[in-house]
Amino acid sequence: MGVRLELDDLPPRYRAQAEMQMARHSRAGQGQKQPAAKTPQSERDYYLAHILPKVAAGLVAEVREQVRFDLLPEKEYCGLKLPAAHYTPDFVLTYADGTVEVVEVKSKFTRRAQRDYIYRRRLFIDLYAAPRGWKFTEYITDGEG
């Protein structure tokens, strides 16, 4: 039982923000063959079902997608080149009251396949979310991709 909103239902400011994000999504996918995976669809579904209604209601002031957070810098140790570590959640929401929520949408399959994900998530929470009082939401789908 969900609320179905169209872009025309949104106030001009939020409609423009939603249109920019949809354009960014479509540009990011141009020139690339879309995998048969369900995760990007799940991110879109999560956005439409959970985030867009909050934006329309004025609860969410800003939605940022795929924000990259640096966890560890690249360095050398005993002749070994150690790569930098990053974490990129799907959404960073800033609510009207200043609260920040970080949302990660993952399928069970992808979560298992990305074996380092749980460690990157832990570093992100310890270095960014917990010290700043940000909420972290992980949404796990049943999809296979």
Side-chain angles (χ1 to χ4, degrees), residues 67-83:
V67 178
R68 180 174 151 160
F69 292 90
D70 296 325
L71 301 175
L72 296 170
E74 179 181 306
K75 70 177 191 177
E76 281 196 38
Y77 181 75
C78 296
L80 295 172
K81 285 193 172 195
L82 303 174

Side-chain angles (χ1 to χ4, degrees), residues 36-71:
K38 294 182 183 177
T39 299
Q41 184 66 30
S42 296
E43 291 171 17
R44 181 181 180 276
D45 289 346
Y46 185 88
Y47 179 84
L48 292 173
H50 298 280
I51 298 173
L52 195 57
K54 291 178 184 178
V55 171
L59 299 173
V60 173
E62 181 183 18
V63 178
R64 294 183 297 154
E65 298 177 57
Q66 305 296 323
V67 178
R68 180 174 151 160
F69 292 90
D70 296 325
L71 301 175

Side-chain angles (χ1 to χ4, degrees), residues 4 10 38 79 82 125:
R4 177 138 172 93
L10 298 173
K38 294 182 183 177
L82 303 174
I125 290 171

